[in-house]
Amino acid sequence: MRRSPGAGPNQPALLTTSQGAPVEVRRSARRTRTVAAFWEDGTAVIAIPARFTAAQEREWVHRMLAKLHKQGERRAAAGRRRPASDDALAAHAAQLSAQYLGGRPVPTSVRWVSNQNSRWGSATPADGTIRLSDKLRPMPQWVIDYVLLHELAHLLVASHNAAFWKLLEAYPETQRAKAFLEGVSFATSRGLDKDGAAGSGDGGGQAPGPWSEDAD
């Protein structure tokens, strides 16, 4: 984190990340215990309780920006390790299961398939198998991870009920990935993307999906 020069001698310096992105600190009277950090339109937003002192604000802004930075590094590393083979995909699914679902779903097989044209992935809880459409291959890794987690969650809860979506709350990119896939489906249905695939950019690591911590 660093401060860029302000517009004038009586104006405070603007906060920026170590990469030069702007930082906005939002105080909220409704936020009493937690601090959150997320990306919004290229700005790193740090949401803090209104009761925080200036010293507490500095401490938590520094701490949460560090977490956002690490999140971006992990996403970049995951993109470099894109699982190409079925074995690599299965190993990656096991890691996601352990990280976000407590290791409870244990699939018997996870593989890429080329015959799924109407869905991104599918799971059969009866035999523990998961299949991912190979149309996902060129997409960002955080989208592939969401689909994997979606199907892993189906091994625990078959329907899309409240209990199912509760399982996916731990993954910070759930809403972003859902919106991404809805956009791809919309474009494909209207012939805007004849290949049914999307670009592989990762948004520069600036994900909106929040980091949150207890401030007490």
Side-chain angles (χ1 to χ4, degrees), residues 30-46:
R30 292 181 296 177
R31 184 178 293 275
T32 59
R33 297 185 59 191
T34 60
V35 177
F38 53 93
W39 287 100
E40 184 177 278
D41 297 328
T43 296
V45 178
I46 313 298

